Amino acid sequence: MTFAEFLVLMQDVIEGFHKSGEATAELLQRPSTRFILVSIPTHTARRSVENITKQLRELSYKPELLLVNRCLPEA
Protein backbone atom coordinates (compact mmCIF):
# COMPACT_ATOMS: atom_id res chain seq x y z
CA MET A 1 0.00 0.00 0.00
CA THR A 2 1.31 3.42 -0.91
CA PHE A 3 1.08 6.48 1.30
CA ALA A 4 -1.44 8.01 -1.14
CA GLU A 5 -3.67 4.94 -0.82
CA PHE A 6 -3.40 5.14 2.95
CA LEU A 7 -4.50 8.78 2.92
CA VAL A 8 -7.51 7.95 0.72
CA LEU A 9 -8.53 5.20 3.15
CA MET A 10 -8.05 7.51 6.14
CA GLN A 11 -10.24 10.23 4.67
CA ASP A 12 -13.44 8.63 6.00
CA VAL A 13 -11.91 8.22 9.45
CA ILE A 14 -10.75 11.83 9.52
CA GLU A 15 -14.16 13.07 8.37
CA GLY A 16 -15.78 10.97 11.11
CA PHE A 17 -13.53 12.54 13.74
CA HIS A 18 -14.41 15.99 12.44
CA LYS A 19 -18.17 15.31 12.56
CA SER A 20 -17.89 13.85 16.07
CA GLY A 21 -15.89 16.89 17.20
CA GLU A 22 -18.48 19.28 15.81
CA ALA A 23 -21.32 17.37 17.49
CA THR A 24 -19.45 17.36 20.81
CA ALA A 25 -18.72 21.10 20.60
CA GLU A 26 -22.39 21.80 19.86
CA LEU A 27 -23.48 19.70 22.83
CA LEU A 28 -21.03 21.43 25.18
CA GLN A 29 -22.22 24.88 24.10
CA ARG A 30 -25.91 24.25 24.76
CA PRO A 31 -27.33 26.46 27.51
CA SER A 32 -28.60 23.35 29.30
CA THR A 33 -25.14 21.72 29.53
CA ARG A 34 -23.57 21.74 32.98
CA PHE A 35 -20.35 20.29 34.37
CA ILE A 36 -20.01 18.22 37.53
CA LEU A 37 -16.42 18.13 38.72
CA VAL A 38 -15.36 15.10 40.77
CA SER A 39 -12.27 15.34 42.94
CA ILE A 40 -10.60 14.00 46.05
CA PRO A 41 -9.69 16.02 49.15
CA THR A 42 -6.01 16.69 48.51
CA HIS A 43 -4.12 19.91 47.90
CA THR A 44 -3.07 18.86 44.38
CA ALA A 45 -6.60 17.85 43.41
CA ARG A 46 -7.98 21.14 44.77
CA ARG A 47 -5.55 23.11 42.60
CA SER A 48 -6.55 21.04 39.57
CA VAL A 49 -10.25 21.68 40.20
CA GLU A 50 -9.57 25.41 40.58
CA ASN A 51 -7.70 25.47 37.25
CA ILE A 52 -10.38 23.46 35.43
CA THR A 53 -13.12 25.69 36.86
CA LYS A 54 -11.26 28.80 35.74
CA GLN A 55 -10.78 27.39 32.23
CA LEU A 56 -14.43 26.35 31.97
CA ARG A 57 -15.58 29.84 32.97
CA GLU A 58 -13.19 31.46 30.48
CA LEU A 59 -14.82 29.31 27.79
CA SER A 60 -18.29 30.41 29.02
CA TYR A 61 -19.12 26.92 30.28
CA LYS A 62 -21.00 26.47 33.52
CA PRO A 63 -19.42 24.37 36.27
CA GLU A 64 -22.47 23.35 38.29
CA LEU A 65 -21.29 21.12 41.10
CA LEU A 66 -18.16 19.86 42.83
CA LEU A 67 -18.36 16.33 44.21
CA VAL A 68 -15.58 15.43 46.65
CA ASN A 69 -15.02 11.69 46.72
CA ARG A 70 -13.22 9.76 49.48
CA CYS A 71 -13.96 12.25 52.23
CA LEU A 72 -15.48 9.87 54.80
CA PRO A 73 -13.50 9.29 57.98
CA GLU A 74 -11.53 6.07 58.15
CA ALA A 75 -13.07 3.22 60.18
Side-chain angles (χ1 to χ4, degrees), residues 28-70:
L28 292 175
Q29 293 171 356
R30 289 181 188 171
S32 61
T33 298
R34 298 292 188 269
F35 291 83
I36 298 174
L37 304 174
V38 180
S39 185
I40 59 174
T42 66
H43 181 68
T44 303
R46 182 182 59 85
R47 284 195 330 246
S48 294
V49 166
E50 288 172 353
N51 288 333
I52 291 169
T53 300
K54 179 182 174 190
Q55 291 175 8
L56 287 170
R57 288 185 175 145
E58 287 173 356
L59 294 168
S60 299
Y61 294 135
K62 300 171 179 88
E64 186 76 14
L65 179 69
L66 170 60
L67 175 64
V68 180
N69 197 7
R70 293 192 229 161

